[in-house]
Amino acid sequence: MRWWDIAPVLDLEHALFPDDAWSPGMFWSELAHARGPGATRHYTVAEDPVTGRIVGYAGLAALGDLADVQTIAVSRDAWGAGLGSELLTDLLKAATDFECATVLLEVRVDNARAQKLYERFGFEPIGFRRGYYQPGNIDALVMRLTLNEDLADTAPETGTE
Ligand SMILES: CC(C)(COP(=O)(O)OP(=O)(O)OC[C@H]1O[C@@H](n2cnc3c(N)ncnc32)[C@H](O)[C@@H]1OP(=O)(O)O)[C@@H](O)C(=O)NCCC(=O)NCCS
């Protein structure tokens, strides 16, 4: 994802996350950390090969040996064709490149579709963050995937219950 992708990504963001869409500034800030030798972010977009339209996007933050899935989304008209899986595969490769041992993510407790995708990749539920999604006061399920057993600190994250 580059800065010129932000406008079409925001269109998808508002369609898919109407209650808590990221602002343009959040994407700009993330992309500012996605390039160069000290990069801590990896952001990618999926384009329709025929039209060039952006149909999905995803981002990951690396913090030491921990990676966090910041966002993942696919245009509703492209769901169920494997794009979400491709984007997640790309993020996990990036986590490996960042030499992260563990990948964490938060997902709404009522988002069964996304949870199923994560489970297929081996993510396991490790706790909840109460009222994480506002407005609506929706809880987040925290999920974890261990990429490198030898390096991973498998103690549950603090801040979860
Ligand atoms: C969650 C989300 C990213 C999944 O994207 P997706 O492109 O539909 O994901 P996939 O196609 O890879 O997998 C979804 C389903 O399609 C099926 N599928 C995968 N590849 C397929 C293929 N080639 N042909 C047919 N079906 C396929 C999968 O089996 C899966 O079905 P299942 O969930 O019943 O097992 C998407 O629904 C989305 O953007 N949701 C809104 C935003 C969101 O909630 N993001 C997550 C925030 S935590």
Side-chain angles (χ1 to χ4, degrees), residues 88-157:
L88 189 54
T89 300
D90 182 86
L91 294 190
L92 297 181
K93 180 184 175 302
T96 304
D97 292 345
F98 279 123
E99 300 183 350
C100 295
T102 305
V103 184
L104 292 172
L105 60 81
E106 288 92 17
V107 55
R108 287 171 64 113
V109 287
D110 57 3
N111 191 346
R113 185 180 180 84
Q115 286 175 32
K116 212 164 153 195
L117 171 67
Y118 302 139
E119 278 165 12
R120 266 199 284 122
F121 279 75
F123 280 87
E124 292 175 333
I126 58 165
F128 295 96
R129 291 189 197 279
R130 302 286 177 202
Y132 183 82
Y133 295 99
Q134 300 293 340
N137 207 33
I138 308 289
D139 296 344
L141 178 66
V142 183
M143 301 184 81
R144 177 175 64 199
L145 175 69
T146 303
L147 294 175
N148 187 329
E149 292 282 353
D150 297 336
L151 299 178
D153 170 7
T154 50
E157 251 211 324

Side-chain angles (χ1 to χ4, degrees), residues 58-73:
L60 177 118
L63 310 155
D65 65 356
L66 268 188
D68 203 272
V69 174
Q70 303 282 77
T71 186
I72 182 165

